[in-house]
Amino acid sequence: MNTTSKIINKVLAPSLQAAVHLRSSNIKTDLAKSSAALLSSAPSGGKHTLPDLPYDYATLEPNISAETMTIHHTKHHNTYVTNLNAALEKLDGAVSAGDVSAIIAMQGAIKFNGGGHLNHTLFWENMCDPSSSEIKDGALSDLITSSFGSYEAMKNSMAPAAVGVQGSGWAWLGYNKKSDRLEIATCPNQDPLEATTGLVPIVGIDVWEHAYYVDYRNVRPDYVNAFFEIVNWDVAEQRLKDASA
């Protein structure tokens, strides 16, 4: 199971644990199944939790400040986790009551906050100390070259895509399993890449203003260019390996 799948399973994986709460006479089968999957997504402790960062808050300086990282992780990501747990609790009540209207009403909050939790978990992992950011010879480097022509060509495609996201969202380097190629994609708000496009996330850039405003104000291009100096290409390589296994 690849890294992304493990994270997705914690947020969206199907299970029968919540099936006992479903009133099949009142809820359509597909809605019942999706609700059961969502309700069973919480870890063994019963709640999703904020993951620890794999480095200190100051590790990404000067590209991203400790202040930004602290706020982004402890405030913004934590809010997604808190709201996801609250939404799942409300969903549980709606399913138990057989309230189809309430179940449908919760889908947006679950997608937004579940996506925010998933996207940020991937984001923290695909960054590292600037001195350690190096793309080495290997499968990822080869696939970047075959998909885009060169690393610089990939960067020159991904950077404008990230800068061009209207409002808030994400830019991704994603792996297309069907074509065995890498592609650039953008997602609005907190829409998760794989669930909405089928591409496996390899590297993601958060271009919500809270990810960079303290350090770069509203100059998103400077932030995006600085991001490429802190990409953890070792993690990206492993994600590709897992996705193509």
Side-chain angles (χ1 to χ4, degrees):
M1 182 180 295
N2 63 48
T3 302
T4 303
S5 295
K6 291 178 181 177
I7 298 171
I8 291 174
N9 283 343
K10 293 181 181 178
V11 180
L12 300 171
S15 173
L16 297 177
Q17 292 177 6
V20 294
H21 298 297
L22 301 176
R23 297 181 180 179
S24 57
S25 60
N26 297 329
I27 306 175
K28 292 182 178 180
T29 301
D30 56 348
L31 187 59
K33 288 181 178 178
S34 65
S35 298
L38 289 166
L39 289 170
S40 66
S41 68
S44 58
K47 297 283 187 179
H48 292 282
T49 58
L50 182 69
D52 293 331
L53 295 184
Y55 39 71
D56 295 332
Y57 288 122
T59 296
L60 306 182
E61 291 184 338
N63 301 64
I64 301 179
S65 68
E67 180 181 6
T68 291
M69 289 298 295
T70 302
I71 295 171
H72 198 172
H73 180 244
T74 64
K75 302 298 184 182
H76 292 281
H77 188 176
N78 193 52
T79 296
Y80 294 122
V81 174
T82 299
N83 290 342
L84 174 60
N85 286 326
L88 290 173
E89 185 175 347
K90 290 180 181 178
L91 178 64
D92 192 16
V95 170
S96 297
D99 188 340
V100 177
S101 179
I103 292 172
I104 293 172
M106 293 310 303
Q107 303 305 305
I110 291 169
K111 178 183 178 183
F112 181 75
N113 292 292
H117 180 31
L118 168 63
N119 290 338
H120 283 87
T121 300
L122 292 166
F123 182 58
W124 308 134
E125 293 176 351
N126 71 203
M127 295 188 292
C128 66
D129 186 310
S131 65
S132 301
S133 179
E134 177 186 4
I135 186 165
K136 304 178 179 68
D137 291 339
L140 178 59
S141 177
D142 291 344
L143 193 56
I144 286 175
T145 299
S146 64
S147 298
F148 299 98
S150 67
Y151 169 82
E152 286 301 320
M154 180 277 293
K155 179 181 176 182
N156 290 338
S157 177
M158 189 172 181
V163 172
V165 172
Q166 294 186 350
S168 302
W170 295 75
W172 295 94
L173 177 65
Y175 175 63
N176 187 324
K177 291 184 177 182
K178 293 182 179 179
S179 65
D180 190 29
R181 293 177 65 84
L182 295 169
E183 300 177 15
I184 304 300
T186 60
C187 295
N189 301 312
Q190 294 296 350
D191 288 6
L193 180 69
E194 189 165 9
T196 56
T197 70
L199 298 175
V200 178
I202 303 299
V203 173
I205 309 176
D206 184 352
V207 290
W208 282 65
E209 276 200 342
H210 63 239
Y212 60 87
Y213 194 82
V214 169
D215 304 320
Y216 299 94
R217 295 300 186 260
N218 64 336
V219 189
R220 186 187 286 179
D222 287 354
Y223 159 69
V224 170
N225 287 330
F227 171 83
F228 280 96
E229 298 176 357
I230 54 173
V231 175
N232 189 328
W233 292 109
D234 291 338
V235 165
E237 180 91 29
Q238 186 60 50
R239 287 178 181 172
L240 176 63
K241 180 180 178 181
D242 292 342
S244 56

